[in-house]
């Protein structure tokens, strides 16, 4: 099914399948069980693109053979961002399902759109999405390069975590059922494990980037900030100075670490877990803006929010702490105020974590109306839920749970079986994604940013953050 | 001279690698080390290809090879995903397939092909290699990005007849794109300026030409831009084979050279890397002219031995005879080399690495070095420049 669309476009795909060197399989040093899996992957020789011969293109300008408007009918506008806009569409050529088409903003020189080189973040996203394939990572259908614009066509997802969380804060505020939380976390971690095993750091995990299909499948989306971390030619820091939306930014990043690891994604997953429980960002700090010298300021307010719950980090808990560039700035932070009694009792109290208290009051607060033993109450997540949360929100990135460790956590093996449909057993249905009809002309050259409609991220007053390319 | 480890008999507790279902032995010195280093299959399939894809708790704990037992991320050394990569699925061909693809392109443009004869592909690749290096030097670009650029050029020309393109624009664009993919981006304006000063007769200063060509390149490559290169395999294996600095450098330059052949379109990167290491091992201690033949014989013998040993099952104990005649000398260096070769052969015998492919790679490389002697830079350049000028491709 994934390549149905493409199969029509490229008739040669069958040939290439037949002529694929079987001898390669004979020598392939992986056991047959795995080969079978590989076999099931279709082999279109040109899965995504096709167009007129290069010669004509070079003389008369590049022309895409596949035209977005011939192949897709845009039925609404979803959102816009610094990268461009996202539209909802259906296939015109019998492709099943619905699609989200991400149109990258072309640069404008004067009045005319020019080829100015594709942005690094677009190149990353195109290359990574073409390479990756996992049920919990957003699925790319095709990429169309047309009229100096890039259109990435994805499978449509009806929901995202931001919207689901938002729904639960409404009339009246009601917690997300524990089975749903478990399934979401399991699928999210599964996707993370896949990315990390493939040397991909997502670097921008947050509820708005976690898609959920109407079948309850969780898809990690927006790989615009993602990059490979295997043997980088330069330190990751030198490329992008700032990564991850501030509320989900790991402490090592806030403290100016130059080298970072998949653990930064795991911190964000911990923040998302907390947010699924409490329906608010757990560390909702205010972002200090970059100053005119383009130096990255210490994010004091954000760090303070973390310290308020997690306590001050110590070098006992985090041996590399003292080597962090912003280590000195930690001294200016207030010790946590949550505990009235421990307020003046020295550094031990200052470094004590209040996460456990936060956790139990969060899951307990919702349980007043239902019996604590009930499976529908968050309190059924119990102690294992706390341990998982604490493992993800571990200060020391070396000790923080990896995706694989988190997946093996008893949290998932105790209680009911984890479902691969996070909506399983739910009586309520979530509202569909709002799409606006204001701007259905995907081919218009009008640039995004000026007009906001639909449901952009910031309609829920989310901090807007994108990477500043070096 | 630095003391070199004696050959190790790989004995000890046998362990079964559950992924490749092969018995693996660990020497005492290897205890506590990740056995994946001795398990060639682990190299290839590596951690994560069988990563959890399904659901339910069983899938959280997939059947795992030792090599997938979560070393800290920082110690992962092999790309996780070669076997599922687009490179493996779409961009590695058999020789026949590659010939067919090129034949089809020629057929479609018979007129052009007859009007503008070009030298063989290896010579064109040598020319591209030189031009990429020239531009790369001006922009101070790392070797790996230059290798990536050459791969992009190779892939592009399996889709588009070269006589329909301006190769200088393609070279500059491939390098510009490769730098972005290798996370060492260069400003488009700078690339265009430097390229123009290298090839003033063939490029304009208009950056939109390069931007447009980038669309072409990405389209023809179906956005499949992530590459697996042999350099990483080499870096990973160098300590397992106790390679000296000289041997590492020689392997590295053999890998650099293989971009001037079709090998990157024919074989997986680990095959290339292992071949480069073997050649470095057999050629290095023989600087005497004429000894290359002996070195080659030794290389072939080592491969044959590994293959034979594999047939015998465990094969390890029997593999202690010196490979080839070149090892009879008694110098210490030679002994060390023989030790390394034995170790290497033992590694191969234990692995499922495609030895026939390595034999072919070895022959291709040797034949390339011969072909290189016939390479005529001026003739190649003139032939390329002729069609670019005649067809006005430089103006486009």
């Amino acid at each position: 099914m994934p390549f149905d669309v493409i199969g029509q476009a490229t008739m040669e795909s069958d040939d290439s399948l037949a002529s694929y060197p079987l001898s390669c399989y004979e020598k392939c040093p992986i056991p047959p069980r795995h080969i079978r899996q590989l076999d099931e992957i279709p082999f279109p020789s040109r899965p995504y693109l096709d167009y007129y011969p290069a010669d004509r293109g070079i003389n008369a300008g590049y022309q895409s053979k596949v035209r977005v408007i011939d192949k897709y009918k845009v039925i609404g506008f979803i959102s816009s961002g610094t990268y461009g806009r996202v539209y909802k569409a259906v296939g015109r050529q019998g492709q099943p399902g619905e699609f989200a088409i991400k149109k990258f903003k072309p640069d404008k020189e004067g009045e005319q759109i020019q080829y100015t080189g594709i942005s690094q973040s677009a190149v990353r996203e195109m290359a990574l999405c073409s390479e990756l394939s996992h049920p919990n990572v957003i699925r790319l259908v095709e990429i169309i390069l047309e009229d100096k614009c890039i259109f990435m066509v994805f499978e449509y997802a009806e929901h995202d975590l931001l919207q689901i969380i938002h729904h639960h804060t409404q009339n009246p505020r009601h917690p997300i059922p524990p089975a749903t939380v478990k399934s979401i976390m399991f699928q999210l971690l599964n996707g993370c494990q896949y990315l990390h095993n493939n040397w991909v750091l997502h670097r921008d995990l947050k509820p708005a980037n976690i898609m959920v299909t109407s079948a309850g499948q969780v898809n990690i989306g927006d790989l615009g900030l993602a990059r490979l971390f295997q043997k980088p030619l330069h330190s990751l820091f030198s490329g992008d100075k700032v990564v991850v939306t501030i509320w989900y930014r790991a402490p090592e990043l806030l403290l100016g670490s130059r080298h970072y690891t998949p653990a930064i994604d795991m911190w964000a997953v911990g923040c998302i877990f907390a947010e699924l429980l409490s329906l608010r960002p757990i560390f909702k700090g205010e972002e200090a803006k970059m100053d005119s010298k383009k130096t990255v300021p210490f994010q004091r307010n954000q760090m303070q929010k973390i310290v308020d719950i997690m306590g001050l980090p110590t070098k006992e808990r985090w041996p590399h702490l003292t080597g962090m560039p912003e280590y000195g700035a930690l001294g200016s932070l207030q010790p946590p105020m949550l505990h009235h009694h421990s307020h003046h009792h020295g550094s031990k109290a200052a470094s004590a974590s209040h996460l456990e208290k936060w956790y139990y009051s969060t899951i307990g607060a919702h349980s007043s109306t239902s019996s604590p033993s009930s499976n529908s109450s968050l309190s059924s997540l119990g102690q294992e839920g706390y341990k998982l949360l604490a493992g993800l929100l571990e200060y020391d990135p070396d000790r923080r749970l990896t995706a694989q460790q988190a997946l093996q956590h008893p949290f998932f093996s105790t209680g009911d079986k984890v479902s691969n449909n996070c909506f399983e057993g739910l009586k309520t249905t979530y509202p569909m994604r709002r799409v606006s009809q204001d701007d259905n002309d995907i081919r218009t050259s009008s640039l995004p940013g000026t007009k906001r409609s639909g449901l952009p991220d910031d309609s829920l007053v989310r901090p807007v953050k994108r990477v500043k390319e070096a | 001279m630095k003391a070199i480890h004696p050959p190790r008999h790989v004995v000890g507790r046998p362990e079964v690698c559950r992924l490749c279902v092969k018995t693996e032995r660990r020497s005492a010195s290897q205890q506590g080390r990740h056995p994946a280093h001795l398990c060639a299959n682990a190299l290839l399939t590596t951690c994560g290809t069988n990563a959890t894809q399904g659901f339910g708790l069983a899938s959280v704990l997939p059947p795992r090879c030792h090599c997938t037992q979560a070393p800290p991320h920082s110690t992962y050394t092999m790309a996780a995903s070669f076997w599922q990569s687009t490179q493996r699925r779409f961009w590695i061909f058999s020789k026949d397939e590659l010939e067919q693809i090129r034949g089809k392109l020629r057929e479609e443009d018979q007129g052009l092909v007859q009007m503008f004869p070009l030298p063989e592909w290896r010579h064109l690749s040598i020319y591209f290699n030189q031009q990429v290096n020239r531009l790369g030097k001006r922009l101070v670009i790392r070797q790996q990005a230059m290798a990536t650029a050459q791969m992009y050029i190779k892939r592009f020309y399996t889709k588009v007849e070269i006589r329909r393109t301006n190769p200088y624009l393609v070279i500059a664009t491939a390098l510009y794109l490769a730098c972005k993919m290798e996370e060492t981006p260069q400003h488009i304006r700078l690339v265009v300026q430097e390229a123009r000063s290298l090839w003033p007769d063939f490029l304009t200063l208009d950056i939109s030409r390069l931007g447009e060509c980038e669309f072409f390149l990405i389209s023809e490559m179906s956005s499949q831009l992530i590459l697996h290169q042999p350099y990483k395999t080499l870096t990973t294996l160098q300590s397992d084979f106790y390679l000296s600095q000289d041997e590492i450098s020689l392997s590295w330059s053999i890998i650099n050279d293989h971009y001037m052949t079709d090998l990157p379109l024919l074989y997986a990167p680990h095959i290339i890397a292992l071949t480069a290491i073997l050649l470095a091992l057999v050629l290095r201690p023989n600087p005497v002219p004429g000894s290359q033949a002996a070195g080659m014989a030794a290389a072939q013998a080592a491969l044959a031995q590994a293959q034979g040993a594999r047939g015998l099952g465990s094969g390890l104990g029997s593999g202690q005879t010196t490979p080839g005649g070149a090892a009879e000398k008694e110098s210490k260096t030679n002994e060390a080399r023989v030790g390394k070769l034995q170790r290497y052969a033992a590694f191969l015998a234990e692995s499922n690495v495609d030895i026939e492919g390595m034999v072919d790679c070895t022959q291709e490389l040797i034949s390339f070095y011969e072909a290189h002697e016939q390479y005529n830079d001026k003739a190649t350049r003139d032939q390329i420049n002729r069609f670019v000028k005649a067809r006005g491709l430089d103006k486009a």
Side-chain angles (χ1 to χ4, degrees), chain A residues 83 102 124 149 194 213 219 234 272 274 276 285 346 387 395 422 428 444:
Chain A
Y83 54 84
K102 185 169 182 175
R124 276 178 189 147
C149 292
Y194 173 78
T213 67
N219 292 158
H234 295 294
I272 293 167
L276 290 171
K387 285 185 186 161
Y395 267 126
C422 72
T428 57
T444 181

Side-chain angles (χ1 to χ4, degrees), chain A residues 112-353:
Chain A
Q112 189 122 43
I113 298 170
Q114 285 291 347
Y115 287 111
T116 52
I118 300 169
S119 78
Q120 181 149 18
S121 112
V123 169
R124 276 178 189 147
E125 188 166 5
M126 291 163 75
L128 283 171
C129 288
S130 301
E131 203 70 31
L132 299 173
S133 164
H134 187 270
N136 299 121
V137 175
I138 194 162
R139 198 176 72 77
L140 178 73
V141 176
E142 65 177 321
I143 297 175
I144 297 174
L145 298 164
E146 181 187 348
D147 281 349
K148 307 184 177 91
C149 292
I150 299 164
F151 300 93
M152 291 185 76
V153 182
F154 293 99
E155 227 167 41
Y156 180 74
E158 194 60 75
H159 314 279
D160 59 60
L161 286 191
L162 181 60
Q163 178 214 46
I164 287 171
I165 290 166
H166 181 71
H167 178 75
H168 281 270
T169 62
Q170 307 289 300
N171 45 25
R173 194 179 186 86
H174 55 298
I176 302 176
T180 303
V181 173
K182 241 185 210 189
S183 173
I184 289 171
M185 284 303 292
F186 186 82
Q187 297 188 55
L188 174 57
L189 286 164
N190 214 10
C192 275
Q193 174 178 253
Y194 173 78
L195 292 179
H196 293 170
N197 278 342
N198 283 283
W199 303 96
V200 178
L201 287 182
H202 187 281
R203 308 199 298 180
D204 197 17
L205 290 175
K206 57 179 175 181
N209 286 344
I210 315 294
M211 307 297 150
V212 185
T213 67
S214 46
Q217 193 173 64
V218 174
N219 292 158
I220 296 175
D222 198 349
L223 281 93
L225 269 188
R227 61 164 284 181
L228 293 169
F229 61 94
Q230 183 190 27
K231 299 257 176 77
L233 292 176
H234 295 294
S235 89
L236 298 184
F237 177 81
S238 62
D240 310 299
K241 301 286 186 250
V242 183
V243 291
V244 191
T245 305
I246 186 96
W247 298 341
Y248 307 91
R249 203 176 293 168
E252 64 269 28
L253 291 175
L254 295 170
L255 294 174
S257 173
R258 310 260 148 164
H259 299 283
Y260 50 83
T261 63
I264 66 160
D265 284 343
M266 301 316 294
W267 179 271
V269 170
C271 296
I272 293 167
F273 184 24
E275 193 163 337
L276 290 171
L277 299 175
S278 74
L279 308 178
R280 337 185 144 78
I282 179 170
F283 309 125
K284 194 176 175 181
E286 280 162 35
E287 181 155 27
K289 295 287 169 227
M290 275 205 205
D291 62 22
S292 53
K293 282 175 259 164
K294 294 215 170 170
T295 51
V296 184
F298 175 57
Q299 297 289 350
R300 180 180 318 283
N301 186 278
Q302 180 62 30
M303 194 68 213
Q304 181 69 58
K305 299 286 177 193
I306 294 173
V307 167
D308 285 347
I309 293 175
M310 306 304 302
L312 280 167
T314 61
K315 59 174 184 292
E316 288 75 35
R317 271 165 80 181
W318 184 359
H320 295 301
L321 177 65
T322 50
M324 294 286 155
E326 300 282 2
Y327 174 64
L330 273 182
S332 66
L333 295 179
Q334 296 288 319
M337 307 287 252
L338 243 78
H339 266 290
H340 298 292
H341 306 295
S342 60
H343 196 30
H344 291 292
H345 290 272
S347 65
K348 197 167 183 189
S351 65
S353 168

